[in-house]
Amino acid sequence: MKEVKSLEEFIKGIPKAELHLHIEGTFEPELMFEIAKRNHVKIKYSTVEEIKSAYNFSNLQDFLDIYYAGAQVLLTEQDFYDLTWAYLEKIHAENVIHTEIFFDPQTHTGRGIKFSTVINGIHRALEDGRTKLGINSKLIMCFLRHLDEESAFKTLENAIEFKKWIDGVGLDSSELGHPPSKFQQVFEQARRQGFLTVAHAGEEGPAEYIWEALNLLKISRIDHGNNALNDEKLLKELVNKKMPLTICPLSNLKLQVVKDLKEHPLKKLMDHGILATINSDDPAYFGGYMVENYIAISKALNLSKEDIYILAKNSFIASFLEEEVKKDMIERVDRYYKENK
Ligand code: HPA
Ligand code: ZN
């Protein structure tokens, strides 16, 4: 007789893609201590417990202050390799077979680290991920929206030399007061150079920022997008355009975008016909990688195996994978669901 998988086992086993993941947000305290020690960099904390107890955020900015402080420890190409490799090993154990990773070059170039140091380390780990772990990947370079557009232009210039390794550009950091319109020109230039575009919008910011991301930045996906639910017309537009949302449940809980996961808008968005996906955002800071995010939201919203199957399938539909590879991966999800529902 066929063994019936528990919801947890079903979630762990289903092939998944991650589409919203900041590599600097995967920096686990243990690795932070190790790298700080070998680089002779002082950090504010002396134990893992001390670090973890500092991870009590009441909003996005609270988190960003700690996240940027943690990244100061990263100095060499090997540091960026180790950071990326540790993430790939984690997701390998969770059946994430494709990941689209954000990196924030300005966090590093702003303190004198070369763009090439950052991207060489990340890229080498992604290549090893492909050959040693069978994990497919894409790389998305984010502009920090609290900085000016001129700095974003300089970053885009830095990226040209490494264009073959970068698939898209994105927009992250402090959302309120920094609308997508501030970056209209640099996104236009990026698109002209062949980059796909995404942007964080509607995490803390209003639905209006999502409209701007769509109409001015011509994005292919919205990162977060929770606040779309406040605007009926926008919801219709997103459904018509089949515009994916990269939802991050544990992030939303930790940054108090939602007070309780039971109040999370994911299911409502899905019921409206939105192409939603589940992602971990900054797993080292928010208490969980992909499987933990899927489990937490499934329990809070009473999701069925079919809902989980749809979310996993959406993650490939919404990916930047080449059509043939995408089709192949979707077939793997379909097969898994048929055999394990
Ligand atoms: N929002 C905005 N900026 C970020 C985030 C986020 O969730 N994570 C890392 N940088
Ligand atoms: Zn994010």
Side-chain angles (χ1 to χ4, degrees):
M1 221 177 73
K2 199 175 93 177
E3 179 202 352
V4 179
K5 277 197 166 66
S6 70
L7 197 74
E8 279 93 342
E9 287 169 326
F10 179 81
I11 286 172
K12 189 160 181 227
I14 197 163
K16 297 170 278 292
E18 173 143 69
L19 306 178
H20 184 154
L21 181 280
H22 303 263
I23 199 62
E24 293 88 350
T26 68
F27 207 3
E28 292 287 350
E30 292 81 358
L31 185 61
M32 204 182 281
F33 278 124
E34 191 186 316
I35 293 183
K37 195 168 162 204
R38 77 182 183 213
N39 287 344
H40 309 289
V41 176
K42 275 212 162 57
I43 48 176
K44 233 171 98 182
Y45 313 97
S46 42
T47 63
V48 169
E49 291 68 36
E50 232 181 89
I51 292 198
K52 292 226 159 150
S53 67
Y55 292 175
N56 248 325
F57 318 112
S58 50
N59 56 41
L60 175 60
Q61 194 58 52
D62 261 14
F63 153 70
L64 289 170
D65 293 343
I66 288 185
Y67 160 88
Y68 292 133
Q72 307 286 312
V73 168
L74 300 162
L75 302 183
T76 68
E77 182 184 319
Q78 191 61 39
D79 299 343
F80 288 95
Y81 177 92
D82 291 347
L83 175 72
T84 309
W85 181 252
Y87 162 70
L88 293 170
E89 282 193 316
K90 283 255 198 242
I91 62 166
H92 182 53
E94 299 197 334
N95 284 307
V96 175
I97 59 173
H98 174 63
T99 181
E100 304 195 353
I101 293 181
F102 296 137
F103 73 117
D104 288 343
Q106 289 152 297
T107 301
H108 314 296
T109 54
R111 53 192 178 87
I113 310 295
K114 283 197 190 128
F115 188 97
S116 58
T117 301
V118 179
I119 197 163
N120 282 331
I122 296 173
H123 177 74
R124 185 157 57 86
L126 293 181
E127 281 307 302
D128 281 351
R130 211 179 300 278
T131 54
K132 296 181 182 160
L133 304 174
I135 299 175
N136 223 295
S137 53
K138 302 275 176 197
L139 193 53
I140 300 173
M141 176 177 84
C142 282
F143 302 122
L144 298 181
R145 68 203 301 161
H146 67 273
L147 300 179
D148 57 25
E149 195 181 33
E150 195 189 321
S151 172
F153 266 114
K154 283 203 188 105
T155 307
L156 185 60
E157 229 168 80
N158 278 329
I160 294 305
E161 194 186 330
F162 300 96
K163 205 171 151 194
K164 60 182 183 300
W165 295 348
I166 304 173
D167 304 280
V169 302
L171 188 63
D172 65 2
S173 192
S174 324
E175 187 180 8
L176 286 169
H178 303 286
S181 53
K182 182 177 160 187
F183 296 92
Q184 185 174 354
Q185 292 176 48
V186 74
F187 267 66
E188 201 172 304
Q189 172 86 342
R191 284 197 316 279
R192 238 184 278 126
Q193 288 165 350
F195 293 104
L196 292 163
T197 62
V198 297
H200 284 54
E203 179 185 17
E204 286 188 344
E208 181 54 32
Y209 284 18
I210 303 177
W211 280 113
E212 283 190 13
L214 286 177
N215 295 333
L216 305 181
L217 307 188
K218 319 258 188 247
I219 48 158
S220 306
R221 286 197 302 251
I222 294 160
D223 295 315
H224 294 297
N226 298 43
N227 287 338
L229 212 53
N230 303 329
D231 183 334
E232 277 293 324
K233 196 165 153 232
L234 176 59
L235 276 175
K236 278 199 190 114
E237 178 81 358
L238 296 175
V239 171
N240 285 343
K241 287 199 151 149
K242 297 192 172 62
M243 180 60 60
L245 260 55
T246 61
I247 301 275
C248 308
L250 289 175
S251 164
N252 291 159
L253 182 66
K254 283 282 182 187
L255 301 186
Q256 303 192 23
V257 169
V258 295
K259 288 274 171 282
D260 190 310
L261 275 187
K262 287 192 166 54
E263 294 163 19
H264 196 282
L266 172 75
K267 190 72 172 84
K268 285 193 195 111
L269 290 164
M270 290 171 79
D271 291 344
H272 272 91
I274 294 278
L275 206 154
T277 65
I278 298 291
N279 308 272
S280 72
D281 207 2
D282 302 281
Y285 292 89
F286 299 150
Y289 288 75
M290 286 284 274
V291 164
E292 286 94 341
N293 271 277
Y294 268 84
I295 290 177
I297 197 68
S298 298
K299 287 190 172 161
L301 301 181
N302 253 322
L303 299 185
S304 64
K305 285 184 178 171
E306 189 185 2
D307 292 325
I308 291 157
Y309 158 66
I310 291 168
L311 288 163
K313 189 163 167 156
N314 284 352
S315 72
F316 294 100
I317 294 172
S319 75
F320 291 156
L321 282 166
E322 301 69 23
E323 282 311 313
E324 270 308 297
V325 187
K326 189 184 275 196
K327 192 168 148 256
D328 193 57
M329 290 190 180
I330 290 174
E331 273 168 20
R332 283 171 67 177
V333 183
D334 286 342
R335 211 175 315 126
Y336 180 89
Y337 181 57
K338 222 186 260 169
E339 287 167 7
N340 296 287
K341 66 179 171 188

